[in-house]
Amino acid sequence: MGSFVTGQIIEARCSRCRDITGHVVVACLKGIPVKVECRACGSVHRYAAPDAPARRAQEATVSVRAGRDRTQAVDAAAHAEAVRGERGERPCRQSRAERSREEAESRWRDAVAGIVSQPVPYAMTGCFPADSLVDHPVFGVGAVLEVFPPDKMDVLFRGGVKRLRCAC
Ligand SMILES: [Zn+2]
């Protein structure tokens, strides 16, 4: 686990200068530089430690690699974020979220059970009166709580209340 931060100036091997030059850390992953910008030539490339051997074969394809490195760095960062989210303060937040999800679901079940009409497939151009059922392709079946003319309505779905477009 390193202790580098984005924006820090460090010594690194530049693939274009083919020398050890000052670099600004552009992207960091777990405190280890992933991408650096050479202060001498301005090229942005994957971090190579000053004591790393020059990699001749890869120098020829540096521009292609730069693009791929960016994607990889973004993927890696997103993955790290997801991992952190799973390990971090989630258990506490999850139980609260879990509780409110169950509340919303039982509210939804009661609301849907109280309406006898058949669900109508949702369309932005449709008109849905309050206390009718909507069948949404993503959110599923929901109960129309309130209509806000001319074009909005609140619908209670299993996952909670959503404000949808309509033509009422
Ligand atoms: Zn350079």
Side-chain angles (χ1 to χ4, degrees), residues 13-19 21-23 37-43 45:
R13 180 172 290 280
C14 176
S15 47
R16 191 179 292 175
C17 299
R18 301 184 181 199
D19 202 356
T21 57
H23 283 73
E37 181 179 342
C38 176
R39 302 185 81 204
C41 70
S43 74
H45 54 84

Side-chain angles (χ1 to χ4, degrees), residues 26-40:
V26 177
C28 240
L29 184 60
K30 293 179 179 172
I32 294 165
V34 180
K35 226 165 80 175
V36 290
E37 181 179 342
C38 176
R39 302 185 81 204

Side-chain angles (χ1 to χ4, degrees), residues 5 22 108 118 131 167:
V5 293
W108 166 80
Q118 285 296 307
D131 296 322

Side-chain angles (χ1 to χ4, degrees), residues 96-146:
R96 212 180 307 144
E98 184 75 9
R99 222 177 305 134
S100 75
R101 198 185 61 79
E102 274 170 18
E103 276 171 22
E105 194 168 326
S106 82
R107 198 154 78 93
W108 166 80
R109 216 177 294 119
D110 291 349
V112 170
I115 300 171
V116 288
S117 64
Q118 285 296 307
V120 177
Y122 170 72
M124 270 194 335
T125 52
C127 178
F128 306 92
D131 296 322
S132 67
L133 292 181
V134 175
D135 189 0
H136 192 277
V138 175
F139 306 127
V141 172
V144 179
L145 295 179
E146 206 173 337

